[in-house]
Amino acid sequence: MECQEEKPIIYTMENKPIVTCAGDQGLFTSLYTSLAQQLPREPMEWRRTYGRAPKMIHLEANFVQFKEELLPKEGNKALLTFPFLHIYWTDCCDTEAYKSAVKEDMTRWQSSLRTHGSADWVIIVVETNDTKKKNKTNILPRSSIVDKIRSDFCNKQNDRCVVLSDPLKDSSRSQESWNSLLLKLRTLLLMSFTKNLGRFEDDMRTLREKRTQPGWSFCEYFMVQEELAFVFEMLQQFEDALVQYDELDALFTQYVLNFGAGDTANWLGSFCAPVRSWSGLLLRRPIDMEKRDGIQRGEASLLDLRSYLFSRQCTLLIFLLRPWEVTQRALELLHNCVQELRLLEVSVLEGALDCWVFLSCLEVLHRIEGCCDPAQLAANCSHTVGLWAYATDKLKSLGELCGLVSEKGPTSEDLNRTVDLLAGLGDERPETVSSLQSPYKKLKEALSSVEAFERHYLELSHAAMEMYRAIGRLRSARLVGKSLAEFYMRKGDPERAETFLQEALKSYTSEGWSLPVTHTRKQIAECQKLLGRTEDYLQTSALLAGDVNLTTEERKHFCQEILTFAGKSEDQSPKATLSMAVFAQLTRLQFRPATASVHSGAVLQAELTLRCLMPVSVHIQQLAVSVHFDLERAGTNGRSKGAPRQTNPGTVEFSQAHPSAGPASSSAAGPPLELDEIEDRSPTDNSLNSTGVVCKNTHLVMRCHDSASPPDTPNCVSPPSVTVKDDGQMLKVQDVTLEPGNNSIVFTAPSGQPGTYTLRQLYATVGQVQFVLPHIYPSVQYEVYSQEPQLTVEPLSEPLLAGLPQMVKFTLLTGHYAVKKGDALQLSNTDTMPVLPSASCTARINSPAAELVGESSLFIQSSEKVTSISLPATPPYHTLEFHLEVLCVIPHGCDRPANERLTNGEVRHRPRSYSHPDTPMTAIDQRMSIDCPWSIYSTLLALTFYIPFKTKHTLLSAGNRKYIQVCVQNMSDVNFTLAEVQLAEKQQATLELQSLNTKTQQLLCSKHSVFCLWEVRWKDDLPSCLQCIFSANFSPPKQDVSTFKPFHYQFQLERVTTLYSVRAEILPPASEQHCRSGFLCGLEVCITRLTEPTEGEAAEDSKTDADGLKTTKLMYEVADSSSNWAVCGKSSGMVSMPMAADATHKVQIEVMPLFAGHLPFPKIKVLKYLPHTAAVAIQPDPDSCVENDSLSLLDKVLDDQGDTASIRSRGSVHSVGSGDQQQQKGVAMPRLEPFAAGQVFNHSHTQQVLVLPATDDHIMEVNAT
């Protein structure tokens, strides 16, 4: 840069771009007002270089008279004094005047501009009617003058000559001329700005790139870039101006950081000079010219540069309506300046920086208060509270430095230091002299006396705390409070100090800051000791004694404080109750036995594991656990209808955080969640509708940690009030020494009275100090029960099979009852499940731990109704086991005798068999009544037996011959041997059942069947109903004959007589010997009545015709389900059959074979046709209508139910459709009724006929399988 001879005149926002005016000054003066007013009215789009976004700006100008001195000299790059545009004004219309004077003047004007390199100019020719009237003789047209000017001066730039017509008149022509002129001036000004600013920025950028060269000066570069910022500010582009200062700030900061890293710059030496003045920021002037001059001369200190730079940034931010950014930047500036002074190793008087920071904080706050109303300040206190807190902290540091905080007051050395600090402030600035609350006056007053300092410090502290609380920053508010506490401690007021320390400790504890917790507790302990609060002091000392953040010596000191107090006599000090959590932690509790459940009188031990937090061994006179007894929850377990006893955990782990735990400690995270599952089920079918999780300790989890901390955690802020509960029963142990770390202590728990015992509190007595754990959590319980005797009977092996001797196991849990010699069990005898005699029966006696105590033989005595079992003597809470053999008789459907009565007088109902869903065998429940010596009531027990067999019967017919088939199916997993298989008829003596079974014994394997067959023979007439009994003996294979047990099965056969026979014959076509496929054949069906009608049959479905002959109607149907035949024409019909023996009816039907080969005959069905007038004996079949087309539907049902060889033994009525509904409506419909099994015999059922292929077939289909 060249010598700075001429300083630019700085008027801040009043500066405007300079525009010079040459030529007719009177003419310009007459138009100045209109020109100055109209120029900035319309905005112009400013398109800048380097792709920067265009902006709309309003242009203003400072019009001055043209002087050659205003033109920039070579090397002078100042922009504020740079004329951006030159205007020449003329209203000449006379040729002679133009040639003699105006042209020469214009020539001199342009010559001066060319000499100084100014190319931004314009000539304005003003035309008025008055000028024309004065010079009528020599006047030339205006265009001629303008043309001459353009030809003389604007050969290549004709647009640089502008005509303004009648500017003082109010006409459209004048206004149009004005608009054209203003647009031209704005355009030329923007062009000049763009060109000159671009050139200036390029030069500035070139200068910045030379910063690594020797001799480069930051101060010189600062003045250059600030010149650009001034221009942007002059154009009201405050954002661009702020960017320039931010770039300067960043550049200087980078140099300081590089200096700290070892990369030095020569020009930084001027900023390393000792600081002589610390008057703080000055924000009440738009530009602090004093500091700017110091920067320009290179004499400014680091604080001066930073102060000036921030004042300019503050001014621009306020212009941009961003006052809250000022506070943010100010806080960063103050912290950074302190660090930069350290990096540059600048010598600063002790306390000077504190003064500078304090004054700067208040100056920024006053500047913000001046541009915002109180409501805005209150709503945005989150932006200013940091400055309040920083000012408070620095004022406290000054008070400590100057001796204003100590109880004795400042010393002479402190006073001298205060004088030096005040001297560095200098004189108060003129802007704040009249202000009573200026930062200068506040600091001077605060350092003048102890009382003034205390008043100002408390005022600032409370203001900062209130602001922090208002914005919800409780942590910061408590940090300020902790600083206040230290102030009160220095002033000798521990009572006020403790309040603030407790609040700070609450924040540290809830967030898990271990080191601040330790430091704050030490301060609290000091306060409590000074205040004489013994119990609180002991509690805090115990916390500190177990704090691992302290040294071993410090921990021992606090532990000795407790032991010293504990060693005092009762007369010297009262007994103190402290929280157990600060002394030791309960980490584990284990019961022996592990079930945590014993019977009354048994021994139960509880082993506690305590982790001692003290640094030395501590002798405890007594360690006790209070026990709460709950009789209501006790109950007697083991009853026959009682629910199983709730099991308690035998080992309980307690998770405890160390007092100095970090953020993951339980004190920060709160108590653990106790979750339980809930289900919502439908009341109708018990289906699950929804499921969820519920927290059972919400009152602990959700409570506010700021207002209350968990009382049992060692991180509690203030010692909780410990309440000692007297629950009557205690677990005690005397004279225990706890070593640092884990210790194991064994208690013997009381177990005399049945009930639930809950461990509530833990006590440790050390002399006059008692440590109490008020709540043992999670809850620990053990149960002492009084169990009723319980008798159970269960199979020795599954399943129990009916019909065979089975072993069952009797288990007697004696409970609280002692079985005496001579006590006996009385079992009721039943004929369906007798107790089998046994030569020897041994009972086993087991202890509660399932250990064998002894064995004894049982004496069993049976009578007609009762079986008595004498029991051996058995102690309480032992188990007595023995086995008995019983036999469940398989029911066979015989007539049942009268119901019996059990030993307790209750009517014993006969057992009924039923199907069990888990097994294919039929189940039978057998109940027995047992009278026990310990109860006046009988015990009812049930055993489930399973019938191993499933039996079914079938009636078979061969013409008039009848056969009965019985199928025995083994459903069990055991193989059996069947012997002496017999079938008998109970009512018909003349009836003979001839056995066709050849084997006397037959093996019946598991899941297999055996079929037995008998032929029915009779002499006179075959009865219509047969009452049959099937009997057999069975036993497991390879057993003695004496072990076989009987098995009976009773059933009844009805309608066994054959009424009709059906014969069919297939006739080949005429002139053919055999049937051929695809040709019609004749099917002749012959239905013959075999017997005379019985009385019941005649009355049921007979009808007398005109000749007096009784007839009945039959329905026949020919169908082929195998698709071998096609029935042509009518496939079904109804015939009237005489009810006389040997009555015959023939039916001719045409059928066509579809395949060649030996084809079975089509299926022929015969059914009863009952008219609507027939009596309904059983369920009607109303949907069986008389139309032939509907009969096939019925046949499909009949096909599924079997043919004439049906396995059913009873006749039934088959119906299709909704017969029940029609019967209810009273509509009588004809119906079809199938014959019972064996009533119709089809001779052609298995017959086949030879069918030849058609003679013209050349391709034969052969199916090979």
Side-chain angles (χ1 to χ4, degrees):
M1 297 289 292
E2 296 292 333
C3 60
Q4 300 156 358
E5 302 165 356
E6 299 182 6
K7 298 180 182 178
I9 301 173
I10 306 297
Y11 293 108
T12 66
M13 284 300 297
E14 298 177 1
N15 277 6
K16 299 175 184 178
I18 297 176
V19 177
T20 64
C21 296
D24 193 344
Q25 295 297 322
L27 176 63
F28 165 71
T29 303
S30 64
L31 301 177
Y32 170 76
T33 304
S34 300
L35 185 62
Q37 290 177 354
Q38 295 186 47
L39 183 64
R41 283 183 181 176
E42 296 294 333
M44 289 290 289
E45 184 181 28
W46 185 20
R47 295 184 177 274
R48 304 181 59 192
T49 57
Y50 297 105
R52 286 172 281 194
K55 295 184 178 181
M56 302 299 292
I57 62 173
H58 292 264
L59 291 173
E60 294 184 272
N62 182 18
F63 296 95
V64 298
Q65 184 177 358
F66 175 78
K67 295 179 180 179
E68 194 170 352
E69 293 81 6
L70 293 177
L71 297 177
K73 300 179 178 61
E74 185 178 357
N76 186 3
K77 300 179 181 179
L79 286 176
L80 291 179
T81 57
F82 183 82
F84 287 92
L85 184 63
H86 306 277
I87 304 177
Y88 190 92
W89 295 87
T90 180
D91 59 351
C92 177
C93 293
D94 186 354
T95 307
E96 296 299 331
Y98 170 74
K99 292 181 179 180
S100 61
V102 175
K103 182 177 180 181
E104 184 178 353
D105 190 38
M106 283 185 183
T107 303
R108 287 195 302 271
W109 174 68
Q110 280 211 340
S111 176
S112 299
L113 295 180
R114 282 194 297 269
T115 302
H116 291 85
S118 297
D120 300 307
W121 54 267
V122 65
I123 300 173
I124 301 176
V125 179
V126 180
E127 179 192 19
T128 60
N129 292 330
D130 296 339
T131 307
K132 293 180 180 180
K133 292 177 181 178
K134 292 178 182 178
N135 304 298
K136 284 185 178 180
T137 56
N138 299 322
I139 196 168
L140 291 174
R142 178 180 58 83
S143 58
S144 299
I145 296 296
V146 173
D147 291 341
K148 284 184 176 293
I149 293 175
R150 286 176 177 170
S151 62
D152 293 337
F153 302 100
C154 311
N155 290 330
K156 298 180 181 179
Q157 296 175 316
N158 290 333
D159 58 335
R160 293 301 179 99
C161 182
V162 182
V163 178
L164 178 61
S165 301
D166 297 326
L168 301 180
K169 287 188 177 181
D170 187 10
S171 62
S172 59
R173 183 168 178 267
S174 175
Q175 187 62 40
E176 183 179 354
S177 180
W178 266 113
N179 292 339
S180 177
L181 174 64
L182 293 173
L183 178 60
K184 191 64 176 178
L185 290 179
R186 294 186 192 116
T187 303
L188 292 175
L189 273 174
L190 278 181
M191 292 172 58
S192 178
F193 286 150
T194 303
K195 179 179 64 176
N196 290 289
L197 285 181
R199 185 186 302 121
F200 186 86
E201 287 179 332
D202 292 340
D203 294 341
M204 182 186 73
R205 195 175 297 109
T206 302
L207 180 61
R208 183 172 59 198
E209 291 173 354
K210 295 179 180 179
R211 62 185 180 274
T212 57
Q213 297 179 4
W216 188 85
S217 173
F218 175 80
C219 294
E220 293 180 6
Y221 177 76
F222 182 92
M223 305 308 294
V224 172
Q225 189 159 1
E226 190 187 29
E227 187 84 14
L228 181 62
F230 282 150
V231 174
F232 284 126
E233 185 178 1
M234 179 177 64
L235 297 176
Q236 297 185 2
Q237 300 302 305
F238 304 118
E239 190 71 46
D240 292 329
L242 182 62
V243 168
Q244 309 308 315
Y245 286 110
D246 289 344
E247 289 180 356
L248 289 170
D249 190 351
L251 182 61
F252 185 78
T253 301
Q254 189 60 50
Y255 269 105
V256 174
L257 294 177
N258 293 343
F259 182 88
D263 185 8
T264 60
N266 295 331
W267 56 267
L268 271 175
S270 61
F271 295 102
C272 296
V275 176
R276 304 297 181 189
S277 173
W278 41 86
S279 57
L281 297 175
L282 179 59
L283 305 180
R284 300 171 194 255
R285 300 177 188 169
I287 296 179
D288 188 350
M289 294 303 299
E290 182 181 351
K291 288 186 173 59
R292 188 176 188 276
D293 291 342
I295 296 172
Q296 191 171 11
R297 295 192 303 269
E299 301 173 357
S301 65
L302 176 68
L303 293 183
D304 292 338
L305 175 66
R306 284 298 187 185
S307 299
Y308 176 76
L309 189 57
F310 181 77
S311 67
R312 294 297 301 138
Q313 291 171 323
C314 174
T315 301
L316 295 172
L317 286 172
I318 291 177
F319 285 145
L320 290 169
L321 303 179
R322 287 150 58 181
W324 311 119
E325 191 175 338
V326 174
T327 60
Q328 178 186 349
R329 289 185 176 222
L331 202 57
E332 295 175 0
L333 167 75
L334 299 178
H335 285 288
N336 291 338
C337 279
V338 175
Q339 299 301 323
E340 288 175 353
L341 289 171
R342 292 176 183 172
L343 286 175
L344 296 178
E345 301 176 357
V346 178
S347 175
V348 184
L349 180 67
E350 186 179 7
L353 270 183
D354 296 334
C355 292
W356 183 77
V357 171
F358 177 80
L359 293 172
S360 300
C361 288
L362 296 188
E363 178 69 14
V364 174
L365 292 172
H366 287 184
R367 185 69 181 92
I368 298 301
E369 290 173 0
C371 62
C372 299
D373 55 41
Q376 287 179 313
L377 289 172
N380 293 276
C381 61
S382 60
H383 298 91
T384 59
V385 66
L387 292 173
W388 285 102
Y390 202 18
T392 305
D393 186 53
K394 291 306 174 183
L395 185 60
K396 179 188 174 185
S397 299
L398 287 172
E400 294 174 351
L401 183 65
C402 298
L404 300 174
V405 180
S406 62
E407 297 182 29
K408 299 179 181 179
T411 62
S412 59
E413 183 180 352
D414 296 332
L415 293 176
N416 291 334
R417 189 179 295 112
T418 303
V419 171
D420 293 340
L421 291 176
L422 293 178
L425 300 179
D427 298 331
E428 187 173 6
R429 294 156 181 167
E431 291 84 0
T432 61
V433 170
S434 59
S435 174
L436 298 178
Q437 295 294 325
S438 66
Y440 181 88
K441 290 186 176 67
K442 280 190 176 183
L443 179 59
K444 199 168 185 178
E445 182 182 358
L447 298 181
S448 63
S449 66
V450 175
E451 294 77 11
F453 174 80
E454 183 174 353
R455 184 178 70 255
H456 284 286
Y457 176 69
L458 293 179
E459 178 185 349
L460 287 174
S461 299
H462 287 291
M465 283 195 296
E466 289 300 323
M467 290 182 188
Y468 276 131
R469 290 194 183 101
I471 62 177
R473 291 177 57 180
L474 297 181
R475 184 193 300 113
S476 300
R478 288 166 180 168
L479 186 61
V480 177
K482 189 171 183 294
S483 179
L484 260 179
E486 296 173 355
F487 170 78
Y488 282 123
M489 287 292 293
R490 287 177 174 269
K491 299 289 290 183
D493 190 355
E495 187 173 2
R496 291 187 181 180
E498 188 190 14
T499 304
F500 291 107
L501 290 174
Q502 293 284 9
E503 289 294 320
L505 181 61
K506 185 180 296 186
S507 290
Y508 299 148
T509 302
S510 63
E511 297 169 12
W513 298 102
S514 59
L515 290 177
V517 165
T518 303
H519 180 261
T520 307
R521 278 194 181 132
K522 288 177 63 177
Q523 294 175 312
I524 291 175
E526 184 181 354
C527 293
Q528 292 169 344
K529 189 173 184 179
L530 292 174
L531 293 172
R533 296 155 86 180
T534 305
E535 191 163 332
D536 293 343
Y537 174 67
L538 292 176
Q539 182 86 13
T540 307
S541 297
L543 283 168
L544 293 171
D547 196 331
V548 296
N549 291 321
L550 295 177
T551 63
T552 304
E553 295 302 322
E554 288 178 309
R555 294 178 62 192
K556 288 181 178 179
H557 164 73
F558 287 108
C559 182
Q560 190 59 43
E561 292 283 301
I562 301 171
L563 297 179
T564 302
F565 179 84
K568 296 181 181 179
S569 62
E570 296 183 8
D571 300 335
Q572 294 177 335
S573 62
K575 200 162 189 176
T577 302
L578 307 179
S579 173
M580 175 69 75
V582 302
F583 173 70
Q585 291 178 356
L586 177 61
T587 59
R588 192 168 182 263
L589 189 146
Q590 184 176 7
F591 285 106
R592 302 173 186 167
T595 57
S597 178
V598 295
H599 59 79
S600 57
V603 178
L604 178 67
Q605 290 184 334
E607 181 182 357
L608 271 69
T609 302
L610 282 177
R611 184 159 65 93
C612 181
L613 303 177
M614 297 296 103
V616 295
S617 301
V618 180
H619 179 73
I620 298 177
Q621 284 77 23
Q622 178 178 288
L623 188 65
V625 180
S626 67
V627 180
H628 174 74
F629 173 70
D630 189 357
L631 180 61
E632 295 180 358
R633 296 177 58 187
T636 55
N637 295 292
R639 296 181 232 169
S640 59
K641 296 183 180 179
R645 184 168 62 252
Q646 180 180 358
T647 58
N648 297 310
T651 302
V652 180
E653 300 287 345
F654 301 89
S655 63
Q656 294 285 346
H658 195 270
S660 60
S665 65
S666 63
S667 62
L673 295 177
E674 293 184 20
L675 302 178
D676 198 3
E677 181 183 3
I678 56 173
E679 294 181 351
D680 179 22
R681 294 187 176 273
S682 172
T684 56
D685 56 357
N686 200 35
S687 61
L688 184 64
N689 291 335
S690 62
T691 184
V693 176
V694 62
C695 179
K696 298 191 293 185
N697 60 338
T698 312
H699 60 290
L700 296 176
V701 176
M702 299 299 293
R703 66 180 174 182
C704 180
H705 294 288
D706 284 333
S707 60
S709 295
D712 297 337
T713 59
N715 283 335
C716 54
V717 175
S718 58
S721 58
V722 179
T723 304
V724 179
K725 298 180 181 178
D726 186 9
D727 288 318
Q729 303 192 59
M730 305 281 286
L731 279 68
K732 297 181 181 179
V733 63
Q734 306 292 333
D735 295 328
V736 177
T737 300
L738 292 184
E739 301 291 340
N742 290 330
N743 300 265
S744 180
I745 302 99
V746 179
F747 295 87
T748 300
S751 60
Q753 188 176 359
T756 301
Y757 294 80
T758 304
L759 276 59
R760 289 289 181 85
Q761 293 181 327
L762 178 64
Y763 310 94
T765 304
V766 183
Q768 292 300 103
V769 179
Q770 186 178 40
F771 295 97
V772 180
L773 179 62
H775 304 287
I776 295 179
Y777 181 85
S779 179
V780 179
Q781 295 178 342
Y782 69 91
E783 184 180 1
V784 177
Y785 59 88
S786 175
Q787 186 177 17
E788 291 291 330
Q790 184 175 1
L791 178 64
T792 58
V793 181
E794 55 187 352
L796 196 60
S797 61
E798 292 283 355
L800 291 176
L801 297 180
L804 293 176
Q806 300 288 299
M807 296 297 293
V808 293
K809 178 182 178 182
F810 285 74
T811 304
L812 172 61
L813 301 177
T814 59
H816 64 82
Y817 181 77
V819 179
K820 300 177 292 294
K821 188 175 182 180
D823 288 346
L825 300 177
Q826 306 292 330
L827 277 68
S828 60
N829 292 337
T830 60
D831 57 349
T832 58
M833 192 188 71
V835 178
L836 302 180
S838 177
S840 63
C841 183
T842 303
R844 295 167 55 92
I845 302 174
N846 297 326
S847 67
E851 298 176 353
L852 181 64
V853 176
E855 294 184 352
S856 177
S857 297
L858 295 179
F859 177 71
I860 302 175
Q861 186 178 2
S862 297
S863 63
E864 182 181 355
K865 292 187 177 180
V866 177
T867 298
S868 177
I869 304 174
S870 298
L871 301 177
T874 308
Y877 299 102
H878 280 60
T879 304
L880 180 65
E881 296 179 354
F882 58 91
H883 301 162
L884 289 181
E885 192 173 31
V886 297
L887 175 66
C888 175
V889 179
I890 300 176
H892 51 80
C894 301
D895 296 335
R896 296 176 180 176
N899 289 326
E900 304 173 357
R901 290 187 178 271
L902 302 175
T903 57
N904 61 354
E906 180 181 349
V907 175
R908 181 186 183 278
H909 299 283
R910 306 291 293 183
R912 294 184 178 181
S913 60
Y914 60 92
S915 297
H916 198 279
D918 297 332
T919 177
M921 293 186 290
T922 303
I924 303 176
D925 287 337
Q926 294 284 0
R927 292 199 306 165
M928 65 173 67
S929 172
I930 304 176
D931 290 342
C932 305
W934 55 81
S935 176
I936 61 174
Y937 301 104
S938 298
T939 302
L940 295 178
L941 300 175
L943 290 173
T944 301
F945 290 83
Y946 297 91
I947 300 176
F949 304 123
K950 184 176 182 181
T951 311
K952 56 186 178 181
H953 62 277
T954 306
L955 177 64
L956 304 177
S957 300
N960 288 330
R961 301 178 67 179
K962 300 292 181 179
Y963 300 88
I964 298 176
Q965 176 182 282
V966 177
C967 174
V968 181
Q969 185 178 1
N970 185 1
M971 308 299 295
S972 69
D973 296 329
V974 182
N975 298 335
F976 293 101
T977 299
L978 290 182
E980 299 181 12
V981 179
Q982 297 179 1
L983 182 65
E985 208 282 332
K986 296 193 300 183
Q987 297 179 351
Q988 305 295 330
T990 60
L991 195 69
E992 179 185 357
L993 297 175
Q994 183 178 356
S995 176
L996 302 179
N997 306 305
T998 58
K999 296 182 180 180
T1000 57
Q1001 289 191 359
Q1002 195 165 359
L1003 179 64
L1004 179 56
C1005 297
S1006 173
K1007 312 300 181 185
H1008 285 68
S1009 301
V1010 167
F1011 293 87
C1012 304
L1013 189 65
W1014 287 266
E1015 183 179 358
V1016 182
R1017 295 186 178 183
W1018 62 93
K1019 294 181 180 181
D1020 299 330
D1021 294 326
L1022 179 65
S1024 60
C1025 179
L1026 300 179
Q1027 298 288 340
C1028 300
I1029 298 178
F1030 171 80
S1031 61
N1033 294 333
F1034 71 98
S1035 75
K1038 299 180 182 180
Q1039 296 291 327
D1040 190 71
V1041 179
S1042 60
T1043 61
F1044 278 75
K1045 300 298 179 183
F1047 169 67
H1048 299 279
Y1049 171 63
Q1050 179 178 345
F1051 58 93
Q1052 179 178 323
L1053 296 174
E1054 295 180 354
R1055 302 181 183 182
V1056 297
T1057 307
T1058 303
L1059 301 180
Y1060 298 94
S1061 69
V1062 178
R1063 296 180 182 273
E1065 185 180 1
I1066 296 179
L1067 304 175
S1071 69
E1072 291 287 341
Q1073 187 178 0
H1074 297 283
C1075 298
R1076 289 186 179 273
S1077 62
F1079 289 85
L1080 289 177
C1081 302
L1083 174 64
E1084 184 179 77
V1085 180
C1086 180
I1087 304 174
T1088 305
R1089 175 81 184 193
L1090 299 179
T1091 62
E1092 295 291 338
T1094 61
E1095 294 182 0
E1097 184 184 5
E1100 179 181 357
D1101 54 2
S1102 64
K1103 181 179 180 181
T1104 305
D1105 57 7
D1107 298 335
L1109 184 63
K1110 291 185 177 181
T1111 62
T1112 182
K1113 290 187 177 181
L1114 302 178
M1115 178 69 71
Y1116 70 89
E1117 183 183 11
V1118 178
D1120 184 26
S1121 58
S1122 60
S1123 302
N1124 293 324
W1125 300 87
V1127 181
C1128 303
K1130 187 176 180 182
S1131 63
S1132 61
M1134 189 166 52
V1135 299
S1136 181
M1137 194 75 183
M1139 297 185 66
D1142 299 328
T1144 303
H1145 191 94
K1146 294 184 178 181
V1147 178
Q1148 299 289 336
I1149 302 173
E1150 289 186 339
V1151 295
M1152 178 187 294
L1154 301 178
F1155 301 99
H1158 290 277
L1159 302 183
F1161 276 41
K1163 188 173 293 186
I1164 302 170
K1165 295 181 181 179
V1166 178
L1167 301 97
K1168 290 182 184 179
Y1169 176 81
L1170 302 179
H1172 65 277
T1173 56
V1176 181
I1178 51 180
Q1179 180 177 341
D1181 194 6
D1183 281 351
S1184 300
C1185 54
V1186 298
E1187 294 294 335
N1188 293 335
D1189 294 340
S1190 65
L1191 295 178
S1192 60
L1193 296 175
L1194 177 65
D1195 294 335
K1196 292 179 181 178
V1197 178
L1198 296 178
D1199 287 342
D1200 296 337
Q1201 294 171 348
D1203 52 11
T1204 56
S1206 171
I1207 65 172
R1208 277 199 296 254
S1209 63
R1210 300 175 186 269
S1212 60
V1213 177
H1214 302 271
S1215 62
V1216 180
S1218 56
D1220 295 341
Q1221 298 177 1
Q1222 294 188 4
Q1223 185 66 22
Q1224 291 175 1
K1225 296 178 181 179
V1227 180
M1229 297 290 292
R1231 67 185 188 278
L1232 295 177
E1233 180 179 330
F1235 286 98
Q1239 286 187 307
V1240 177
F1241 181 74
N1242 190 352
H1243 291 270
S1244 57
H1245 180 62
T1246 59
Q1247 275 188 302
Q1248 293 181 339
V1249 62
L1250 177 62
V1251 177
L1252 300 178
T1255 56
D1256 57 345
D1257 285 345
H1258 298 285
I1259 299 176
M1260 178 179 295
E1261 291 186 5
V1262 178
N1263 294 329
T1265 58

